[in-house]
Amino acid sequence: MEHFDHIFQRACDRHGGEAALMQLIATPLRTPAELAAIPDDRWLSSFTMSLFQSGFVWRVIRNKWPEFERAFFGFDPEKMLLLDEYHLERLNNDAGIVRHPKKIATVPVNARMVLELGREHGGFGAFVAQWPTDDLTGLWLQIKQHGQLLGGNIAAYGLRRLGVDTFVFTHDVSAYLRHHQVISAGLGSKKGMAQAQAAFNEWREQSGLGFSEISKTIACSIG
């Protein structure tokens, strides 16, 4: 496997040196205590935003997000559990949001996921904060298995948005992992994700950088 120093140097060469690259890959992160303090509604909101951005123009979703917050009552999970067919029909006819029935229907399911996974820890943020940092793909799988339509990069983007240090399998990162034979299975498989996790763990030890920075550095090293 390529040593991270080589990846980092290549990214520096392509983006104007180390100072410029470090500015480019900088990612706001929260401490475990800060993550634990984030209310459940913000996690549900973040996962829902990532879900609606998937396959859509991200900017449009961001610009409409205040309307999403209004339509979904601030994404209070307890309130979302009460959504019935009448409320879902109303949401599907709300011109302020992107009307996508399949995605709208995931909100109460994912509200239950947030509440259930956080129950034993005092909140979903505390559940995330206590998760081992060397097994991020395991966290993604937990979210995917207990939620709905939260596979792919949706969980990872939702977590990163709120300050979790996580890599993301963007097109460039995925291409690098395949081209350099870091993985021998698809990134949607448990084997492929475990291989990628092991590689990122090693790169973190080599570099002292966080997963988000490593992920972005890999993307910047390509092209």
Side-chain angles (χ1 to χ4, degrees):
M1 190 173 75
E2 187 178 23
H3 195 285
F4 192 76
D5 286 351
H6 300 157
I7 302 171
F8 187 82
Q9 188 57 55
R10 193 163 59 245
C12 287
D13 293 343
R14 289 174 174 164
H15 290 275
E18 182 173 344
L21 178 67
M22 292 304 295
Q23 186 173 9
L24 190 62
I25 66 174
T27 308
L29 300 176
R30 286 187 165 100
T31 66
E34 290 169 334
L35 292 172
I38 298 174
D40 285 349
D41 60 270
R42 293 305 85 204
W43 295 102
L44 181 57
S45 174
S46 187
F47 290 136
T48 306
M49 177 183 281
S50 294
L51 197 158
F52 271 86
Q53 286 180 328
S54 179
F56 206 79
V57 180
W58 285 28
R59 183 182 67 258
V60 172
I61 301 299
R62 283 198 303 269
N63 290 343
K64 284 181 171 286
W65 205 247
E67 286 297 303
F68 275 85
E69 293 282 347
R70 169 196 58 77
F72 288 95
F73 303 101
F75 290 96
D76 182 325
E78 297 286 357
K79 291 181 180 178
M80 294 302 95
L81 291 182
L82 301 176
L83 293 181
D84 55 21
E85 290 185 9
Y86 168 77
H87 289 102
L88 291 175
E89 183 179 356
R90 177 181 60 78
L91 288 165
N92 286 321
N93 288 284
D94 190 327
I97 66 174
V98 173
R99 290 166 285 183
H100 192 300
K102 188 175 180 180
K103 292 184 177 182
I104 288 171
T106 67
V107 176
V109 179
N110 293 332
R112 187 174 301 279
M113 177 272 294
V114 166
L115 292 172
E116 288 182 347
L117 291 181
R119 185 166 290 126
E120 294 183 5
H121 304 276
F124 189 84
F127 164 75
V128 171
Q130 60 81 43
W131 193 271
T133 59
D134 61 356
D135 183 31
L136 284 171
T137 57
L139 177 59
W140 299 354
L141 284 172
Q142 282 287 302
I143 293 169
K144 176 185 176 181
Q145 289 169 357
H146 287 81
Q148 189 173 63
L149 297 185
L150 295 179
N153 285 321
I154 293 173
Y157 277 124
L159 292 166
R160 181 186 278 182
R161 183 179 295 109
L162 291 183
V164 177
D165 185 21
T166 181
F167 46 87
V168 178
F169 296 146
T170 62
H171 176 76
D172 286 340
V173 172
S174 299
Y176 175 91
L177 295 175
R178 288 192 298 269
H179 179 74
H180 288 266
Q181 300 180 332
V182 175
I183 56 172
S184 61
L187 284 172
S189 69
K190 288 185 178 181
K191 180 179 180 181
M193 287 196 290
Q195 290 172 331
Q197 180 73 68
F200 274 93
N201 290 344
E202 186 171 340
W203 285 325
R204 183 171 65 169
E205 285 208 13
Q206 292 173 355
S207 68
L209 297 175
F211 288 134
S212 297
E213 295 170 322
I214 293 169
S215 182
K216 291 179 180 181
T217 300
I218 290 171
C220 289
S221 74
I222 295 175

